Amino acid sequence: MKRILLMGLMLCFGIAQSQSLKGKVVGPNNNPLENVAVFDRTSGNHTHTDTSGKFSLENVEENDIISFSILGFATYEYSVTAESFAEPINITLNEAAVSLEQVTITPEVNTLSQIVAVDLKTAPVKSSQEILRKVPGLIIGQHAGGGKAEQIFLRGFDIDHGTDINLSVDGMPVNMVSHAHGQGYSDLHFVIPETIGEISFGKGPYNAEYGDFATAGYVAFKTLDKLDKSSVSVEYGQFDAFRTVGLFNLLDTKNSNAYVAASLNTFNGPFDSPQNFNRFNMMAKYNLKLPDNQKLQLTASHFQSKWDASGQIPQRAIDDGSIGRFGAIDDTEGGNTSRTNLLINHSKLLSENKKLETRAYYSHYDFELFSNFTFFLKDPVNGDQIAQREDRNILGFQTEFSDKINSETLDFKYTAGIGVRYDDVNDVELSHTKNRYEILDRIAFGNVDQINSFAFLNTEFGLGDFKINPAVRLDYFKFDYENKLSPTYDNRSKSKVFASPKLNFIYSPNRDFQLFLKTGIGFHSNDTRVVVANGGEDILPAAYGADLGGIYKLTDNLIFNTALWALFLEQEFVYVGDAGIVEPSGKTRRLGVDFGLRYEALDWLYFYGDANYTYARSTEEPNGEDYIPLAPDFTLTGGIAFENLANFSGGLNYRFIKDRAANEDKSIIAEGYFVTDFNINYTFRNFVFGIAVENLFDTEWNETQFATESRLFDEPEAVEEIHFTPGTPFFLRGKVTVNF
C-alpha cells in the first residue's frame, strides 16, 4: 500500500523515476554492432553493447538524451520517453566516414586505441614497414636487407627486435623467446598490411592480459573479419621494386564468410650489391556463427622470404673512399625465413553479461641469418661472418571468462583468464662461417624448450565517473637448454614464478575528458641460455611503471592527449645472439612525457602528431657514463591526410629522431634524422591509381646505427665508431588497384 502511495505521489509531483533502458544496436544490414558507446548525455551514465549488440543502461529517466556512437557509423541521439522502458528499444546506425566526432571518451574505452583507429582509417597502412609506425611515438629501423625483423624504439628503449614490447596478431603471440638472433625477436612480415583492421596498444606494464615483454608496452593487431570488396593491386617502382597483392571474398552469407589474401614482394634496393629480396605471403580467414550465440573463427597464414644484405658499414670506409655510401664491406650477408600459422578463435555469449572466449594456435618457424658486424676483427684471414639458425614450433591456448554486474550504485566487471605457451626450438645455432656455406666453428648449438603458463584476473569497479581497475597476473616459466656441443649429454633446467599486480584509476566526468593514473609491475623473460648460464638467477627482471595523464576532446574535431610517466627496470642479463655470450646490465630508470594531437580541420583534411621526450639513464653507473646506448630521448611523428577530395586521397607523414648517445659515455653519437614520405591516390570507378614517395626530400640519413669495434682487412688495429645502414634515398613507386 505504501509503495502504491509513493508512486502516486511521484506521479502527482512530476518526480521522474530512474529505470534501466535496454535495447539492441544494429547496422544497416541488421548485423549486431559490438562495443557501441551508449552515453546518457543528461546524467553522464554510460555502457557498451555486447557481442550481440545488446545493452542495458542504468539510472535513465524520461527526457534523457542517449547518444550511440562507434567509429565508422554516424552518431545517433535518442530521446527517452515513457514508452522506452516498456520493452527493449531497437537502434539502427548508418555507416559514415570515420571521424573524430565518433570518438566518445568513457572510463571503459581504450580511447587512445580509438584515436589510432581514426589514423588507420584516414591513412591506411601501405607497407609492412608502416604497420608498427601507426603506434604513436614508435620508431622503427631496418638494417638487414628487408627480411630481418625491424629494430624498434619506444619510450626511451632501444627495444632491438622486441625485447620490451609485447606484439600479437589476432591474439597469437609474435615475440620469439630464446631466439637465435635475440630475445623477443618479433617478425611481423607474415602480416599482409591490407588485412589489418584494428590496432590496440597500451604503453607501460599496466594490462594484465599481456605478460612477457610488456614493459614499454604492447601492440595487438586484429585482421579484418571480412572484406568490403575483392581487389587486386600491382605496384612498381625504383630499385626494381615490385609488389602485387590480391584479396578475394570467397563466401558471404548470413551466418558465415571467408576470404583469402596473397602478396608477392621483390626489391633490389639502392645498394651497390642487389638485395635480391623476395617475400611471399598467403592468408585465409573463415568466420562462422553457431547456435546459442557462438562464433568460430579459423585463420591460416604462411610467409617465406629470402634476401641478401650489405650490412652495417663503418663511416671511415666511406671517408677514405674505399666504398660508397651504399657499398659493402661484406656483401655475403642475408638470410631466409618462413612462418606458418594456424589459429582458432571461439566465443560464446553465455548470458546478457557473461562471455567465454578461447583461442588456440600453432606456428612453425624457420630462420637462417648471415651477418658480419666486425669484418676481420676476430679472424683476419676468413673474416667474422656468423650464421644464426633455428627451427621452432609454438603451441598455445588462452581462455577468458568475463562477467558484468550493473547496479544503481556500482558497476562491476571482471575478466579471468588462463593459458599456456610452449616453444620447442631445435638446433638453435651460432656458427662462424665463410661465404655462408662453410662452417668454420660452432660457437653455440643446442635445443631450447620453454614453457610459460599463466593466469590473470582483471577487475573494474565503476563508481559513476570513476573506474578503479585492480588486476593481477601470475606467470610460471620452465626453461630447458640442451647443449649439443657438450661431449656428454648436458640438459639443464630452471623454473620461476612471477606475480604482476596492476592498479589503475580513470576519471571521466563527461564524454570529452578523461584523467588517468596507471601503475603496475611487468617483466620480460631472459633468454633460456642466460638462465642456465647464470644458474637461474635474475630470470625475470621486473619493470615498475606509473603513468599520469589525460585525454581532452576540446571540440568535436580536436583531441589532445598527454602523459607523464616513469619506468624502472631491475638487473638483467642479456644473451648477445651475435656473439654467444652473456652480458650483464644494471638497473635503469626512464622518465618521460608524451604529447599527442589529432585535428580534423575539414571533412576531408586530417592532421595528426605525437611528440615524446624521455630521460633514460643507468642508475648504477657514475655520472657521464650512465647513458643507455641508442635510447632515443626525443622523437616526433605525424602527418597530414586527406580523402574524398574530388576522388583524390593521400597524405604526407614525417618522423624525427634526435641525435642520441651510441655508447655509455656519449663519446660516440648516433645522428638523428627527419624523413618525410608522401602518397596520393585517384579513384576512377573501380580503379585506384596511386603514387607513393619515400624520403620525399631525398634526405641523407642513417636508418640504423651502432657503436661497433671492427677491423678492416688492411687495418693494423681495431677501431670503434658508428656503423650504420644508410636510409633509402628518394624512392618513387606507382600503384594500380582494381576493386570488384
Side-chain angles (χ1 to χ4, degrees):
M1 185 67 184
K2 290 181 179 179
R3 183 179 178 185
I4 295 173
L5 181 61
L6 179 61
M7 292 178 65
L9 289 172
M10 291 173 65
L11 291 172
C12 290
F13 290 97
I15 302 174
Q17 185 179 14
S18 297
Q19 300 183 60
S20 295
L21 180 69
K22 297 183 178 182
K24 183 176 182 179
V25 183
V26 298
N29 297 323
N30 207 37
N31 293 322
L33 295 178
E34 184 180 5
N35 286 327
V36 175
V38 183
F39 194 92
D40 189 332
R41 297 176 67 93
T42 306
S43 68
N45 294 333
H46 43 76
T47 187
H48 288 83
T49 58
D50 59 26
T51 54
S52 62
K54 295 180 180 180
F55 70 91
S56 178
L57 183 63
E58 303 299 320
N59 301 322
V60 178
E61 297 180 359
E62 189 176 341
N63 299 320
D64 281 3
I65 303 298
I66 313 298
S67 71
F68 298 83
S69 60
I70 187 173
L71 292 180
F73 293 84
T75 299
Y76 181 84
E77 293 192 347
Y78 176 83
S79 180
V80 179
T81 65
E83 291 75 20
S84 301
F85 304 105
E87 57 184 30
I89 64 174
N90 292 305
I91 302 295
T92 300
L93 299 186
N94 296 316
E95 293 182 353
V98 170
S99 69
L100 291 178
E101 183 182 359
Q102 298 160 4
V103 174
T104 298
I105 299 174
T106 70
E108 287 80 9
V109 175
N110 185 341
T111 304
L112 292 179
S113 287
Q114 272 197 92
I115 293 172
V116 169
V118 178
D119 293 353
L120 184 64
K121 297 296 184 182
T122 306
V125 173
K126 297 176 289 295
S127 70
S128 59
Q129 293 276 1
E130 289 191 18
I131 292 176
L132 281 169
R133 286 181 185 153
K134 286 297 180 183
V135 177
L138 191 150
I139 301 283
I140 63 169
Q142 175 58 256
H143 59 271
K148 189 179 179 182
E150 282 76 21
Q151 185 179 8
I152 303 171
F153 301 95
L154 180 68
R155 279 202 161 182
F157 280 87
D158 170 14
I159 295 177
D160 195 24
H161 300 290
T163 311
D164 286 285
I165 188 168
N166 182 296
L167 301 177
S168 63
V169 177
D170 291 331
M172 179 181 65
V174 177
N175 302 72
M176 301 282 185
V177 297
S178 304
H179 188 271
H181 185 65
Q183 177 71 337
Y185 186 88
S186 300
D187 188 351
L188 275 165
H189 294 144
F190 68 87
V191 180
I192 299 173
E194 289 83 355
T195 65
I196 293 290
E198 298 177 17
I199 302 176
S200 174
F201 77 95
K203 296 180 182 179
Y206 313 126
N207 299 81
E209 182 182 349
Y210 303 97
D212 202 1
F213 306 113
T215 51
Y218 77 89
V219 184
F221 298 94
K222 187 178 184 302
T223 57
L224 294 167
D225 286 338
K226 62 183 298 185
L227 303 177
D228 291 333
K229 59 190 74 173
S230 298
S231 65
V232 175
S233 300
V234 177
E235 184 176 334
Y236 183 76
Q238 291 177 277
F239 315 124
D240 296 321
F242 173 80
R243 180 173 187 260
T244 182
V245 58
L247 295 90
F248 306 99
N249 270 315
L250 299 182
L251 179 68
D252 190 4
T253 67
K254 180 180 178 180
N255 293 316
S256 63
N257 65 78
Y259 70 89
V260 296
S263 68
L264 174 67
N265 297 49
T266 63
F267 186 52
N268 277 334
F271 300 91
D272 296 344
S273 298
Q275 290 187 353
N276 298 314
F277 169 78
N278 67 77
R279 180 171 69 235
F280 177 70
N281 293 67
M282 287 189 67
M283 173 193 173
K285 195 168 188 179
Y286 174 67
N287 295 280
L288 176 65
K289 292 182 181 178
L290 297 169
D292 301 324
N293 294 314
Q294 297 184 82
K295 292 182 180 179
L296 180 67
Q297 186 178 88
L298 306 176
T299 308
S301 63
H302 172 78
F303 102 104
Q304 57 189 47
S305 183
K306 293 183 180 180
W307 69 96
D308 296 326
S310 296
Q312 298 149 30
I313 55 177
Q315 184 63 49
R316 64 186 184 277
I318 299 174
D319 294 341
D320 66 20
S322 57
I323 64 171
R325 180 171 171 79
F326 293 96
I329 302 299
D330 181 356
D331 62 0
T332 64
E333 296 191 28
N336 62 83
T337 185
S338 68
R339 179 167 178 167
T340 302
N341 306 301
L342 297 173
L343 173 66
I344 301 174
N345 279 288
H346 175 265
S347 66
K348 180 177 174 58
L349 197 62
L350 302 174
S351 68
E352 187 174 295
N353 294 320
K354 293 182 173 64
K355 186 177 181 181
L356 184 68
E357 295 181 282
T358 301
R359 73 178 65 97
Y361 55 86
Y362 167 76
S363 291
H364 180 257
Y365 172 80
D366 286 303
F367 178 82
E368 182 178 50
L369 179 67
F370 298 94
S371 309
N372 189 348
F373 305 109
T374 54
F375 310 126
F376 293 93
L377 177 66
K378 300 173 184 177
D379 188 335
V381 177
N382 299 299
D384 300 345
Q385 184 186 84
I386 58 172
Q388 296 166 315
R389 301 183 179 94
E390 69 167 60
D391 182 354
R392 178 185 301 252
N393 296 295
I394 310 172
L395 301 96
F397 79 88
Q398 180 170 320
T399 297
E400 300 175 11
F401 174 78
S402 58
D403 193 8
K404 183 178 179 182
I405 301 171
N406 297 321
S407 70
E408 291 187 5
T409 56
L410 174 69
D411 293 335
F412 175 65
K413 179 182 178 181
Y414 72 90
T415 302
I418 59 171
V420 66
R421 169 179 171 171
Y422 170 51
D423 284 72
D424 168 35
V425 197
N426 300 301
D427 297 334
V428 187
E429 177 183 356
L430 172 63
S431 294
H432 178 202
T433 57
K434 181 181 179 181
N435 294 324
R436 293 197 182 188
Y437 303 110
E438 184 180 351
I439 296 179
L440 302 176
D441 178 38
R442 274 203 169 115
I443 302 167
F445 189 50
N447 294 332
V448 170
D449 288 276
Q450 185 168 321
I451 296 173
N452 173 207
S453 57
F454 56 87
F456 65 88
L457 176 63
N458 183 74
T459 62
E460 299 177 9
F461 296 86
L463 300 165
D465 299 332
F466 289 91
K467 183 177 78 170
I468 303 174
N469 174 211
V472 66
R473 181 184 176 96
L474 192 66
D475 285 85
Y476 166 80
F477 283 86
K478 186 173 186 295
F479 305 87
D480 287 287
Y481 182 63
E482 178 188 352
N483 185 359
K484 298 177 77 171
L485 295 181
S486 173
T488 60
Y489 179 70
D490 182 10
N491 192 337
R492 303 182 187 183
S493 178
K494 296 293 178 181
S495 60
K496 187 76 171 181
V497 175
F498 191 90
S500 309
K502 330 279 183 181
L503 181 58
N504 306 316
F505 302 89
I506 298 176
Y507 172 60
S508 292
N510 54 56
R511 65 198 296 263
D512 300 322
F513 177 64
Q514 182 185 106
L515 286 176
F516 56 80
L517 171 62
K518 300 179 181 180
T519 63
I521 299 175
F523 70 95
H524 77 242
S525 63
N526 275 327
D527 191 290
T528 292
R529 292 157 289 189
V530 174
V531 172
V532 298
N534 289 280
E537 297 297 323
D538 299 297
I539 291 175
L540 305 172
Y544 304 88
D547 268 52
L548 175 63
I551 305 170
Y552 320 93
K553 192 172 183 182
L554 302 177
T555 68
D556 280 345
N557 53 6
L558 178 62
I559 295 181
F560 173 73
N561 64 274
T562 185
L564 293 169
W565 59 270
L567 191 64
F568 300 86
L569 263 69
E570 282 187 342
Q571 169 73 33
E572 57 184 299
F573 289 93
V574 178
Y575 180 82
V576 183
D578 299 331
I581 60 175
V582 174
E583 286 185 352
S585 63
K587 297 178 181 179
T588 61
R589 73 172 179 271
R590 289 170 172 83
L591 309 173
V593 58
D594 296 344
F595 295 99
L597 185 70
R598 302 296 186 275
Y599 178 49
E600 214 164 52
L602 300 166
D603 289 343
W604 54 270
L605 188 61
Y606 181 70
F607 295 86
Y608 56 99
D610 295 279
N612 307 89
Y613 172 76
T614 304
Y615 179 84
R617 293 292 187 271
S618 170
T619 62
E620 298 180 328
E621 300 297 333
N623 236 356
E625 299 177 18
D626 56 351
Y627 290 91
I628 302 173
L630 300 180
D633 56 6
F634 183 70
T635 62
L636 190 64
T637 59
I640 305 170
F642 61 92
E643 59 179 347
N644 300 324
L645 179 61
N647 293 338
F648 284 95
S649 65
L652 181 144
N653 60 75
Y654 60 85
R655 57 192 182 278
F656 168 76
I657 186 167
K658 184 175 170 286
D659 291 354
R660 60 199 191 279
N663 59 353
E664 288 80 0
D665 62 4
K666 206 180 179 181
S667 59
I668 302 176
I669 300 294
E671 294 182 358
Y673 56 80
F674 187 99
V675 177
T676 304
D677 301 329
F678 172 77
N679 75 93
I680 187 169
N681 304 289
Y682 177 75
T683 301
F684 176 72
R685 296 180 181 174
N686 292 336
F687 292 86
V688 181
F689 303 91
I691 294 175
V693 181
E694 292 186 25
N695 195 357
L696 178 64
F697 301 110
D698 200 21
T699 301
E700 186 176 287
W701 62 295
N702 298 337
E703 186 162 11
T704 53
Q705 304 171 74
F706 302 89
T708 305
E709 184 181 22
S710 67
R711 180 159 107 50
L712 302 178
F713 183 74
D714 55 353
E715 287 183 327
E717 300 292 337
V719 177
E720 184 180 20
E721 67 169 352
I722 284 292
H723 292 55
F724 68 92
T725 298
T728 304
F730 180 92
F731 176 25
L732 175 67
R733 304 189 308 275
K735 182 178 181 180
V736 178
T737 301
V738 57
N739 299 302
F740 54 93

